[in-house]
DNA sequence: ATCATTTGAGGACATTTGTCCTTTCAGTCC
DNA sequence: GGACTGAAAGGACAAATGTCCTCAAATGAT
């Protein structure tokens, strides 16, 4: 739970008592490699803090291709955010790339925290704001960076992902084909 | 102000009294064609509801090219969201494509509303959530749709923009060159 | 250990997109 | 009206990327 508290404190100060009072709302779950945390088409009922492990968010596009939207690594949040907020079917699946440990809280319980605690109202807004920043950064990356630059960014920011994900997963994340990713790697190895 | 109240009510119920009490925090501003609402590098101190008009959000990328990030049309919000939330220099500029009327609220005043009203805490979180959905949709579009599909989406969702923005603006919005946009239009005209 | 299956690298050619350029047309200043 | 200016369309060629393929290495199953 310590890492979770540290994470929350990057958002807003929270007293020990307030954290202790709310921590029963979280529970620990373990995923084995290839287990799903969220499945496309089902409602995502939880938001998770990643204690340990790596996950991949992906969806099936209208050409029936499986596209990686992001990789989620430890000490950050993961959820199908829109599905979680609106409690509507998820457009994405989230799957463990390796054995993974999560701290999860149900949508209902989080709403109760929002309703009973001003600190949690604040945390909720700031989570939304942070999710926005992450998505904005992602969009900026999509817009500005070539596939090669995106690859180098991944190499720099989440290097462990390059060993845990397949070439196919990484290629769809970069928005190119496997062939082009192969050319990119060739060029970088120069 | 009516349109603003209608907009807020799509987020959360607000009593007439609560709306009346807070509406003095908003003020009306008029922009002439080509005036800036936000300038890249300056802190964005306001969030705006667009009563009338059209704006373009853009930035200068690391190749010194001006890239259109989005077009903002009436009855929606516009701001340099990250700059507004964190009160840090904006990465984007927002410029009127035609004469435009905005209802704006200062960051400070919005914080006061958050601190004094649970309804506004709620609105604030839901604005953040909505900004997230918009950004997510944008990212999904960037990821999934070809330039041609994006053009058709723009034609469908914000057709007025095609007359108000230049070919250059639209091309950078689609992520292609003018030459390719010209080819896309040729193909659609078939 | 062996065989079958999956995964990644990279060759050959086709297609798409970008770069650079010219032409056309509409607006505007004298 | 005629000359100038700037924006948009589109031609010709170059560069980047995709498609389809083969081969070799890694992984799994028996």
């Amino acid at each position: 739970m310590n890492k979770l508290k540290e994470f929350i404190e990057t958002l807003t100060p929270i007293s020990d008592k307030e954290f202790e009072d709310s921590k029963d709302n979280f529970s620990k779950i373990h995923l084995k490699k290839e287990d799903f945390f969220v499945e496309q088409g089902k409602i995502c009922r939880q938001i998770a803090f990643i204690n340990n492990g790596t996950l991949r968010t992906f969806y099936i596009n209208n050409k029936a291709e499986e596209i990686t939207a992001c990789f989620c690594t430890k000490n950050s949040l993961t959820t199908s955010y829109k599905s979680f907020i609106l409690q509507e079917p998820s457009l994405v699946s989230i799957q463990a790339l390796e054995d993974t440990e999560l701290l999860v809280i149900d949508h209902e319980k989080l709403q109760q925290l929002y309703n009973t605690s001003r600190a949690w109202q604040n945390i909720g807004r700031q989570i939304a704001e942070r999710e926005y920043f992450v998505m904005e950064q992602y969009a900026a990356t999509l817009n500005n960076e070539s596939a090669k630059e995106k690859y180098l960014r991944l190499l720099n920011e989440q290097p462990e992902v390059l060993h845990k994900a397949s070439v196919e997963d990484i290629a769809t994340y970069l928005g190119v084909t496997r062939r082009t990713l192969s050319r990119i790697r060739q060029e970088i190895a120069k």
Side-chain angles (χ1 to χ4, degrees), chain A:
Chain A
M1 290 276 173
N2 283 347
K3 293 282 184 185
L4 174 61
K5 182 154 190 283
E6 277 174 35
F7 176 82
I8 288 173
E9 281 174 339
T10 66
L11 298 175
T12 202
I14 185 169
S15 67
D16 287 347
K17 179 173 185 317
E18 205 143 26
F19 183 74
E20 291 301 315
D21 287 351
S22 48
K23 79 185 214 187
D24 287 350
N25 292 290
F26 289 86
S27 53
K28 193 176 280 187
I29 69 177
H30 293 269
L31 297 178
K32 293 232 176 269
K33 183 173 176 176
E34 312 218 320
D35 282 353
F36 284 83
F37 172 55
V38 177
E39 281 181 81
Q40 186 164 10
K42 296 191 181 168
I43 294 173
C44 172
R45 307 215 176 264
Q46 301 174 317
I47 188 167
F49 177 78
I50 306 170
N51 255 344
N52 242 307
T54 312
L55 302 100
R56 180 175 74 98
T57 298
F58 67 91
Y59 58 90
I60 310 294
N61 72 6
N62 50 21
K63 286 150 204 128
E65 299 155 335
E66 190 180 296
I67 308 293
T68 300
C70 71
F71 297 105
C72 310
T73 45
K74 67 169 164 173
N75 298 325
S76 66
L77 298 179
T78 190
T79 189
S80 176
Y81 195 61
K82 189 172 184 183
S83 171
F84 177 74
I85 295 299
L86 300 179
Q87 291 289 288
E88 66 179 27
S90 174
L91 299 174
V92 302
S93 297
I94 303 180
Q95 188 179 24
L97 288 177
E98 61 182 334
D99 293 1
T100 292
E101 185 184 293
L102 304 174
L103 288 175
V104 304
I105 182 170
D106 289 342
H107 182 262
E108 250 172 59
K109 289 187 178 166
L110 189 60
Q111 293 305 316
Q112 283 169 22
L113 287 179
Y114 289 165
N115 289 333
T116 54
S117 153
R118 175 168 292 263
W120 275 95
Q121 264 282 3
N122 237 313
I123 292 166
R125 194 184 79 243
Q126 292 189 57
I127 287 174
E129 289 168 358
R130 179 178 289 229
E131 290 291 315
Y132 173 85
F133 300 153
V134 169
M135 190 51 75
E136 183 186 73
Q137 177 61 50
Y138 176 60
T141 298
L142 287 175
N143 238 338
N144 291 322
E145 297 185 354
S146 64
K148 183 178 174 183
E149 289 167 323
K150 281 185 245 177
Y151 182 82
L152 290 170
R153 172 187 289 272
L154 192 61
L155 183 63
N156 186 45
E157 295 181 359
Q158 301 181 299
E160 68 274 33
V161 167
L162 296 180
H163 304 112
K164 290 168 185 164
S166 71
V167 166
E168 180 69 29
D169 291 348
I170 297 168
T172 65
Y173 175 73
L174 301 177
V176 296
T177 58
R178 268 174 295 160
R179 187 66 191 82
T180 299
L181 175 54
S182 164
R183 281 193 266 244
I184 289 169
R185 287 181 152 164
Q186 197 170 21
E187 235 189 296
I188 289 172
K190 95 239 144 201

